[in-house]
Amino acid sequence: MEWHLQPRKKDSKVSNRIERDSPGNDVERDHSPSGSGFAGAGSVDMRLLTHNLLSSHVRGVGPRGFPLRLQATEVRINPVEFNPDFIVRMIPKVEWAALLEAADHLHLIQVPKEPIQGYEHNEEFLRKMHHVLLEVEVLEGTLQCPESGRVFPISRGIPNMLLSDEETET
Amino acid sequence: MDHAAAQLEKQHVHDVYESTAPYFSDLQSKAWPRVRQFLQEQKPGSLIADIGCGTGKYLKVNSQVHTLGCDYCAPLVEIARSRGCEVMVCDNLNLPFRDQGFDAIISIGVIHHFSTKQRRIRAIKEMARVLVPGGQLMIYVWAMEQKNRHFEKQDVLVPWNKALCSQRLSESGQPGRKQECGHPERGYPYHPACSACHCSVCFEGRCNSKRSHSVDCDSVLAGTCCANISKEGEEENGFYNTLGKSFRSWFSSRSLDESTLRKQIEKVRPLKSTESWANSAISIQPSRHSSFDLGHPETLSAGEQNLDEEVFVEPSQGPREWLRAPTTCKQLNGDHPGVIRRNGDGNFLGGANAKESCVDEGNLEEGTASGSKLWRRISAADSTDSNPGDAISVEEQQPDVLDSRAFMRYYHVFREDLPILDLSFKRYHRLCGSFSFSSLTFLRLMCITLYNAY
C-alpha cells in the first residue's frame, strides 16, 4: 500500500565531511553533495553552475540576455564532496566567460581565463572549478538582464524568473 | 485568448498548487519507475532539467548528474529546496535558460495543465530550445483513455479536497485504513485513517442524488459515500479503489483550444453572493450567441440535445419563468451540473447573463449560500474542428467557500492519436520520438519520449 513512499535518508556521513574539509564553516549545515551518490538533507541555494545556464527571457532580448549579471548580498560556502569525474565532464559544458564574470562579481578566487590544457588530470584546477561551480551558493541577490535591465530576484536561495503578465503579453 | 488560457490556468492550476502545497511538505512520494530509469540512464556529468519539478521528487534520483528543478509554484519550490535540491521559480512557457544547455529534460505531469494546444506546443518548444542536439526529453501526461474511469472530454477539472479528507479523518472509525487524496505525481498527501478520501465523489457531476446538499459534505452524505466505497473495495486494494473512484469524479472544463474558439471568450463575472443574485437585475440578451466559443443558437437541434439530455430542460414559459423552476435550482445548490436554459424563442443565453439568470429567486433559501458552483453545458453545434457533439461546459465558480474546499485542477488529457511525434521548428529544434502508456494502479499515463534530432 505504501509503494509510493520512501523514508527520508539520514545524512550522518555528511556532517563528518563538513568538519574535515571546512573547519571554519557552519557545521550545522548539511550539504547536498553533487556527484557523490548521497542525498543531503540541507537546503541548497543557487550555485554558479546554475547561473551559467540562466538567461533572460524578456521579450525581444534573445541571446543578448546571457549572461545575467549577478549581484549577491548574501553568499555562503557549502562544501560538496569532490567528484573529479563529474567536474571533468562538466567543464566542457560551461560557458566560460559567463562563469568568469559571475565569479568576479562574487569576489571569488581567481578563475582561470579558460580551461587549462590537460585539465582532466590537473587536480588543483579541478578542485578550484569544483569549488567555484558547486560550493558557492547565493542566498540573496539579483540577476540582471544585460540587455533590458530587468532584474530577477534571488531570495532564500531561489531565483524567481517569472515575468509579469504585462511582460509576457503577446 | 491567451489571456483566457492564463486565467484558467491561474485559477485551476497555479492557485490550486499554491493552496495545496503545504500538504505535500511531509510527503515523499516514490519516483515513477520509468522516469527513474530515464534519469539513471543519463551519462554522468549530464545537466538535467526537471521542468515542473514540484517538490523535487526526481531531483536526486541520479547523483551522478546535475539536476535543476524549476516550477511555477513557489511554495512547492521551497519544499524542494528544503530537501536539498537546487531549484528556481519559472514559467515553462518562458524558460530562463540559454539555448541548448541541458542534456536531458523531464516534464512529468506538467504540460497537461496547459489549457490550449498552442501553449502545450509552446511549452514543448521551449524545452526543445534549451535541449542539446541529441538530448532527450521525457514527458508524462494523463491519458484520455483510462481504465477505471472515463473521460468524455479532453478538458477536465478534477477535484482534490483535502478538507473533506480531514473531516473523514475525524469521523472515521477505521484508523488502520490508509487512504490517499490528490494527485499522484504531485506527491499526494498521505492521510492515514481517512477511509473516504474523496467525499468530493458526492459532488460528481453525474451524481444522481436528489438531495440538495451544501458544499460541506455533511456526515450523512459522507457516510453514504464511504459506505459505498467500503462495499466495493477489497481490503488490500481498498484505497486504490477509493483513489480510483476519486479520480472518477471530474468535471468538464471549457476548452480554450483555438479550434473550438470562434469568438472572444467573454469574461464571466464571478458571483458575489446569493443576496446579490436576488437583487440584481437579470438581463437577458437573446441576441448574444449561444456559447462562448462557437455555434449559433438557432442551429442547436433537438438531436444535439440528446447528448446532454439531463442538463437541458425546456422552460415551461417565457424568458423569466424558467428562473423559478424548482428542480433546476435544487440541482444548482450542490455541485450538480447546472442547466442551460433556453428562453422562449429558442436562443441560448450565453455569457454572464445566463449565469445570473440561473438563480432561482424562490429557492435561494435552499442552500445556495455561497457554495454553489454552476455548471453549464453548451453543445458545440457547428464547430468544424471539434468532434461533433462535443459538449463544452463552462465552469464558473464563486470565489469563496467552495474554492477553499474543492480544489479543481485543470487537465487536458491526451489522446492516443497524438500529433506531436515529429515537431519541426525553426533553427535547431526538431523533436522526434515515440509515446507509450504506463499505468499507476489507478491512472493511465501517456509517456512521450522525444529527442532533439537536429
Side-chain angles (χ1 to χ4, degrees):
Chain A
M1 292 245 269
E2 296 180 81
W3 60 270
H4 60 284
L5 298 176
Q6 60 192 30
R8 282 184 190 275
K9 291 189 179 131
K10 290 296 171 202
D11 201 358
S12 52
K13 267 164 58 176
V14 167
S15 4
N16 292 341
R17 269 202 296 281
I18 291 178
E19 280 151 19
R20 189 186 71 238
D21 292 349
S22 319
N25 280 345
D26 184 357
V27 297
E28 292 123 37
R29 214 184 274 290
D30 293 317
H31 66 261
S32 170
S34 181
S36 69
F38 200 86
S43 61
V44 172
D45 307 312
M46 194 199 77
R47 295 182 280 194
L48 290 188
L49 179 55
T50 298
H51 167 267
N52 204 255
L53 291 156
L54 291 175
S55 179
S56 167
H57 52 295
V58 170
R59 185 160 307 285
V61 152
R64 297 182 307 281
F66 178 86
L68 295 171
R69 177 164 298 120
L70 174 63
Q71 297 285 348
T73 53
E74 198 179 329
V75 172
R76 68 169 174 173
I77 306 297
N78 207 2
V80 172
E81 189 181 14
F82 176 60
N83 183 335
D85 189 48
F86 183 83
I87 295 296
V88 163
R89 291 171 190 274
M90 210 45 86
I91 298 289
K93 302 185 178 140
V94 171
E95 287 286 327
W96 213 261
L99 180 65
L100 283 178
E101 191 183 310
D104 187 51
H105 281 144
L106 295 187
H107 312 297
L108 294 182
I109 55 171
Q110 195 74 12
V111 177
K113 295 285 179 280
E114 59 188 15
I116 292 174
Q117 194 84 320
Y119 68 84
E120 297 94 331
H121 311 291
N122 187 325
E123 183 171 325
E124 189 194 331
F125 171 79
L126 292 176
R127 281 194 176 269
K128 197 179 282 185
M129 298 318 303
H130 164 86
H131 176 75
V132 168
L133 288 169
L134 298 175
E135 293 188 329
V136 179
E137 295 183 2
V138 178
L139 275 122
E140 301 288 332
T142 57
L143 296 157
Q144 186 174 35
C145 172
E147 179 77 5
S148 69
R150 213 287 193 182
V151 172
F152 301 95
I154 305 169
S155 49
R156 299 152 54 94
I158 300 174
N160 187 328
M161 310 304 296
L162 291 178
L163 293 172
S164 69
D165 289 344
E166 296 79 44
E167 284 170 307
T168 49
E169 222 144 67
T170 31
Chain B
M1 201 270 288
D2 210 48
H3 179 67
Q7 283 298 107
L8 179 65
E9 288 158 22
K10 180 180 191 314
Q11 186 175 11
H12 291 296
V13 180
H14 304 312
D15 287 353
V16 175
Y17 279 117
E18 276 209 35
S19 305
T20 57
Y23 302 120
F24 298 127
S25 58
D26 292 328
L27 187 82
Q28 276 191 327
S29 61
K30 193 173 181 179
W32 291 350
R34 282 167 72 172
V35 183
R36 172 183 285 276
Q37 185 185 8
F38 177 84
L39 291 169
Q40 284 170 343
E41 282 169 358
Q42 300 305 316
K43 288 201 276 263
S46 292
L47 282 167
I48 302 188
D50 182 347
I51 311 292
C53 66
T55 54
K57 179 161 73 167
Y58 294 110
L59 300 179
K60 293 194 165 180
V61 164
N62 186 343
S63 58
Q64 298 301 310
V65 300
H66 186 81
T67 311
L68 261 186
C70 51
D71 202 287
Y72 196 99
C73 176
L76 288 175
V77 163
E78 294 268 353
I79 293 168
R81 177 197 172 237
S82 70
R83 292 185 181 164
C85 307
E86 200 171 342
V87 285
M88 70 186 70
V89 178
C90 73
D91 184 352
N92 198 161
L93 300 178
N94 288 289
L95 291 175
F97 301 119
R98 57 176 165 90
D99 293 352
Q100 299 186 342
F102 291 100
D103 299 300
I105 296 177
I106 60 173
S107 165
I108 311 302
V110 181
I111 66 170
H112 55 202
H113 285 313
F114 286 110
S115 55
T116 68
K117 184 171 171 180
Q118 189 184 40
R119 286 163 82 86
R120 291 185 287 271
I121 299 272
R122 191 165 141 210
I124 296 173
K125 279 189 178 181
E126 269 292 278
M127 293 190 282
R129 175 181 70 79
V130 303
L131 189 61
V132 301
Q136 287 182 301
L137 166 60
M138 172 177 265
I139 299 173
Y140 253 96
V141 290
W142 282 26
M144 185 174 183
E145 295 82 12
Q146 294 286 330
K147 278 189 308 195
N148 296 330
R149 62 186 308 175
H150 176 55
F151 286 125
E152 285 170 17
K153 312 287 178 294
Q154 280 190 275
D155 299 285
V156 297
L157 290 163
V158 179
W160 180 84
N161 197 329
K162 163 74 170 76
L164 293 179
C165 289
S166 308
Q167 201 173 31
R168 286 309 306 156
L169 192 70
S170 54
E171 288 166 355
S172 161
Q174 304 167 30
R177 188 110 178 249
K178 296 169 187 170
Q179 298 298 343
E180 300 287 335
C181 311
H183 196 283
E185 69 264 17
R186 284 294 171 195
Y188 38 81
Y190 171 64
H191 303 296
C194 176
S195 64
C197 69
H198 268 268
C199 291
S200 55
V201 169
C202 305
F203 300 149
E204 182 171 339
R206 284 156 185 75
C207 181
N208 290 321
S209 168
K210 290 292 181 254
R211 283 175 283 182
S212 75
H213 54 271
S214 67
V215 172
D216 290 279
C217 192
D218 58 52
S219 55
V220 173
L221 197 54
T224 308
C225 284
C226 300
N228 288 340
I229 289 162
S230 312
K231 268 183 263 172
E232 293 185 30
E234 300 156 8
E235 202 46 52
E236 50 278 349
N237 292 326
F239 92 94
Y240 284 123
N241 285 343
T242 307
L243 185 54
K245 261 188 186 299
S246 73
F247 286 106
R248 282 181 216 150
S249 68
W250 60 275
F251 296 89
S252 281
S253 170
R254 60 180 162 160
S255 170
L256 298 180
D257 271 325
E258 277 176 357
S259 61
T260 56
L261 280 169
R262 292 280 176 256
K263 298 175 174 56
Q264 186 129 22
I265 294 174
E266 181 196 19
K267 267 300 254 157
V268 176
R269 296 187 299 281
L271 295 171
K272 304 295 179 209
S273 68
T274 52
E275 290 70 40
S276 68
W277 294 1
N279 297 329
S280 68
I282 295 173
S283 62
I284 299 170
Q285 296 174 16
S287 61
R288 191 182 295 276
H289 285 294
S290 61
S291 68
F292 291 157
D293 30 29
L294 42 76
H296 302 290
E298 57 272 19
T299 63
L300 197 76
S301 64
E304 312 242 23
Q305 258 195 305
N306 292 334
L307 298 164
D308 288 299
E309 242 170 38
E310 72 277 13
V311 293
F312 292 134
V313 181
E314 284 293 334
S316 50
Q317 291 180 28
R320 287 247 174 189
E321 273 307 317
W322 59 265
L323 298 172
R324 307 192 198 289
T327 323
T328 306
C329 289
K330 262 196 190 134
Q331 287 180 335
L332 296 178
N333 289 352
D335 289 355
H336 291 287
V339 294
I340 297 292
R341 301 309 239 140
R342 287 178 165 203
N343 62 11
D345 62 356
N347 284 333
F348 271 100
L349 304 173
N353 309 302
K355 176 181 175 161
E356 288 163 18
S357 308
C358 279
V359 175
D360 182 8
E361 294 164 350
N363 283 352
L364 284 177
E365 66 276 12
E366 293 244 355
T368 47
S370 71
S372 304
K373 192 190 306 180
L374 298 184
W375 294 91
R376 289 187 289 139
R377 287 175 169 228
I378 305 167
S379 282
D382 64 352
S383 162
T384 52
D385 290 331
S386 68
N387 294 330
D390 252 2
I392 297 169
S393 355
V394 174
E395 172 271 327
E396 295 160 4
Q397 255 181 330
Q398 282 206 3
D400 53 37
V401 177
L402 178 60
D403 289 347
S404 69
R405 293 192 168 271
F407 298 114
M408 305 283 285
R409 261 189 289 214
Y410 170 86
Y411 291 88
H412 174 91
V413 293
F414 280 62
R415 294 164 57 121
E416 303 218 16
D417 52 345
L418 191 70
I420 62 168
L421 291 190
D422 193 348
L423 289 172
S424 291
F425 317 141
K426 288 183 278 192
R427 293 198 287 159
Y428 38 76
H429 309 148
R430 180 158 175 248
L431 290 178
C432 309
S434 59
F435 70 88
S436 58
F437 291 92
S438 72
S439 281
L440 302 178
T441 303
F442 44 80
L443 188 66
R444 188 161 176 263
L445 302 148
M446 177 181 281
C447 173
I448 306 162
T449 38
L450 302 168
Y451 67 95
N452 189 347
Y454 183 80

